[in-house]
Amino acid sequence: MDILMNGVGLVLNFETILVILAASLFGIFVGAVPGLTATMAVALLVPLTFYMDTIPAIAAIVTTSAMAIFAGDIPGTYLNIPGTPASAAYVGESYALAKKGRAREALGINLVCSVFGGIFGTIVLIVVAQSLAEVALQFSAFEYFWLAVLGLSCSIFISVGSRTKAFLSLLFGILLSTVGLDMMSGAPRFTFGVPDLMAGINFIPVMIGMFALNELMSYYGSKSEKKQITIVDNDSVFHHVPGYIKRYWRNMVRGSSIGTLIGALPGAGADIAAWISYGVGKGRSKESAKYGTGNIEGIVDASSANNSGISGAWVPALVFGIPGDSITAIVIGVLYMKGMNPGPTIFMDGSGLIYALFMVFILANLMMLPIGYMAIRLSKFFILTPSRVLMPIILCFCIVGAFAINNSVVDIWLMLIVGFVAYVLAVNDFPMAPAILGLVLGSVVENNFMSAMLRTGGDLTSFFARPISAGLGIAVILLWCSPLLIKAYRYQQHKSGRAY
């Protein structure tokens, strides 16, 4: 009980509440402006979190990401331009409803489903994380090695688009993780005589470059913005919501469950969760023919999934230190910056930190309701804000943020180089999630592998000597072989069909 009260005290104070409120407004604004994404919003926040205590810093990130994911629905509804990738799955439905004069009605059900999905995912996080943490305490270097390899493998197999490009993106991230002193020999690797690189690549400038600078370059590399709202929106925000909840509550539960499950897979994230939930909903709907014409059912399925996916991504991040998506990868970087190691010990520190974190999730999602309502009423102000005014300001934030962490010019160059490489990769359809997972997990794989080798005298069979380690190892090998197994199964099915 004392630990719980400590957690309550960490959240219910003036500083944390003020940070949550400010982060809510920031997240809504960034998410609602086309071209600015939730990940970019979080990346821009990181330098500020350096000056905050741990709980306000994490509260700022959690609140900003949740608000930005919802706010991405606003330009999607009015302009048919999703504010964040997580809104892309159902933007066609929202825009079709808006053209019928039902824009606020669509955003109203979006908002309620986002809140429901976020709280659902948080409850799952609270129930599951504690139990998993007790299991994770039994893990040694063997289990952590396989778990990290499983996370890296998932980031390739789950990634949207070419797996070869996802693999190359992963190698880029792993290459970055090898910079610095070798843990065994102490020899410098890829430091080019720069003392600032001896301790390895700093996460924060890389993430600012990868997610903020990259998108800024993409904006200037695209066609000029043309925003003109022709939508009429005199309808009510919440008038029809109770009826839709009564009719589609199963869709909300299903979408939230899918979102939480997909979000917990390393490298998946809210956007993949939304697409899968939308696809499952369409496949099971009795009115699938109405999908694409402004169907509320499609919005309910996908918007429940994308916010629950955010909470789901925290399960592997908190329990194992394995990021579920790019946002939790940034959070892990922030926790390291605060001198904390994400993993099962975070549940046992006795400071109430974990309960404070759960409370932050619930508060952030509850505050989404009134702030989201105001955002819907002020939608036109947000989406008509000219991005050409915001982008130079964002560039200044990127440079100052990268420099402020260590007061190092090297970090600015690092941000610029990584941002340029990320831009080149992005315009050629290389996914970014594998790269960031490679950066975070590359050193985890290396350190645990070398530690296990030292302990066993180089015996590779020891990776299959313990039950959980063997189970994880077999899961990884099956995942690697899955394309061949699927192809062999389909060939066999085809052969059997021809025989009949």
Side-chain angles (χ1 to χ4, degrees):
M1 183 55 76
D2 289 342
I3 299 175
L4 178 62
M5 294 311 294
N6 285 342
V8 172
L10 287 170
V11 175
L12 297 183
N13 58 71
F14 179 74
E15 182 190 1
T16 308
I17 298 295
L18 185 64
V19 165
I20 290 176
L21 185 60
S24 301
L25 299 174
F26 175 69
I28 286 284
F29 180 77
V30 174
V33 176
L36 309 185
T37 66
T39 311
M40 183 184 194
V42 172
L44 289 173
L45 260 185
V46 169
L48 295 178
T49 61
F50 185 70
Y51 301 100
M52 299 178 190
D53 291 332
T54 304
I55 287 300
I58 295 176
I61 291 175
V62 169
T63 309
T64 298
S65 57
M67 295 289 176
I69 292 288
F70 158 69
D73 298 335
I74 294 175
T77 302
Y78 282 94
L79 301 171
N80 202 23
I81 303 171
T84 65
S87 305
Y90 50 97
V91 68
E93 308 292 353
S94 301
Y95 187 61
L97 283 170
K99 287 196 293 186
K100 297 173 186 174
R102 298 165 62 188
R104 288 180 178 172
E105 179 185 334
L107 287 170
I109 191 67
N110 259 330
L111 175 59
V112 172
C113 289
S114 296
V115 172
F116 178 84
I119 292 177
F120 183 95
T122 304
I123 292 171
V124 173
L125 174 68
I126 294 170
V127 171
V128 171
Q130 185 79 39
S131 305
L132 281 178
E134 291 174 8
V135 176
L137 279 174
Q138 310 301 320
F139 281 18
S140 64
F142 303 104
E143 285 81 8
Y144 275 111
F145 167 79
W146 282 122
L147 204 58
V149 173
L150 184 62
L152 294 176
S153 306
C154 282
S155 71
I156 297 172
F157 284 91
I158 293 173
S159 182
V160 176
S162 165
R163 285 178 184 164
T164 304
K165 290 183 177 180
F167 179 66
L168 293 174
S169 177
L170 176 68
L171 289 183
F172 172 61
I174 292 176
L175 176 64
L176 291 178
S177 75
T178 60
V179 175
L181 295 177
D182 180 79
M183 67 167 285
M184 300 300 295
S185 65
R189 298 184 303 197
F190 308 117
T191 56
F192 305 103
V194 180
D196 291 43
L197 295 179
M198 290 292 184
I201 292 281
N202 191 341
F203 283 165
I204 307 307
V206 171
M207 289 175 186
I208 294 174
M210 218 174 251
F211 295 112
L213 194 65
N214 165 30
E215 291 185 27
L216 197 146
M217 288 183 184
S218 299
Y219 169 78
Y220 282 111
S222 63
K223 295 177 181 178
S224 59
E225 58 184 349
K226 291 180 181 177
K227 300 176 188 173
Q228 185 177 2
I229 296 178
T230 56
I231 301 298
V232 177
D233 57 355
N234 294 323
D235 54 332
S236 168
V237 176
F238 290 134
H239 180 71
H240 297 282
V241 168
Y244 289 138
I245 292 176
K246 187 177 179 182
R247 185 174 178 183
Y248 297 122
W249 67 269
R250 290 184 182 84
N251 300 62
M252 292 172 70
V253 174
R254 184 178 62 210
S256 301
S257 304
I258 291 174
T260 307
L261 185 64
I262 300 295
L265 297 175
D271 42 342
I272 294 178
W275 278 108
I276 291 177
S277 182
Y278 182 82
V280 171
K282 186 177 180 180
R284 297 182 63 85
S285 174
K286 295 176 182 175
E287 299 176 332
S288 57
K290 292 182 179 179
Y291 274 68
T293 61
N295 192 0
I296 289 289
E297 195 175 359
I299 295 175
V300 170
D301 272 304
S303 59
S304 300
N306 58 16
N307 267 63
S308 62
I310 295 174
S311 304
W314 281 77
V315 174
L318 282 179
V319 176
F320 305 112
I322 308 288
D325 60 2
S326 52
I327 292 175
T328 47
I330 295 174
V331 171
I332 286 177
V334 170
L335 289 175
Y336 281 132
M337 191 171 68
K338 299 288 182 189
M340 299 178 63
N341 293 325
T345 53
I346 208 169
F347 290 81
M348 316 297 171
D349 70 343
S351 65
L353 181 71
I354 197 67
Y355 292 104
L357 188 61
F358 294 153
M359 282 191 65
V360 164
F361 268 101
I362 293 172
L363 266 181
N365 281 290
L366 289 177
M367 286 184 71
M368 193 190 301
L369 212 52
I371 292 178
Y373 174 78
M374 287 191 291
I376 293 171
R377 303 292 297 185
L378 299 171
S379 295
K380 293 178 181 176
F381 164 76
F382 289 123
I383 57 182
L384 289 179
T385 300
S387 299
R388 63 179 180 276
V389 175
L390 294 175
M391 291 303 178
I393 299 172
I394 290 171
L395 179 59
C396 292
F397 275 117
C398 291
I399 294 172
V400 172
F403 178 78
I405 303 299
N406 293 321
N407 292 334
S408 170
V409 177
V410 172
D411 284 344
I412 297 178
W413 281 109
L414 187 62
M415 177 202 69
L416 293 172
I417 293 169
V418 171
F420 177 74
V421 173
Y423 169 72
V424 172
L425 293 176
V427 295
N428 288 288
D429 298 326
F430 283 79
M432 281 298 104
I436 202 67
L437 281 168
L439 172 63
V440 174
L441 295 181
S443 59
V444 176
V445 171
E446 182 186 5
N447 293 343
N448 284 295
F449 179 79
M450 296 308 295
S451 173
M453 286 289 94
L454 282 174
R455 194 181 302 174
T456 60
D459 181 12
L460 288 172
T461 58
S462 59
F463 283 92
F464 294 92
R466 294 160 58 94
I468 298 177
S469 175
L472 288 169
I474 291 169
V476 169
I477 292 170
L478 284 176
L479 184 62
W480 289 347
C481 297
S482 60
L484 288 175
L485 294 174
I486 292 170
K487 192 174 284 185
Y489 174 76
R490 286 177 179 167
Y491 175 76
Q492 197 62 35
Q493 290 288 99
H494 178 69
K495 198 175 172 182
S496 303
R498 288 179 64 184
Y500 286 107

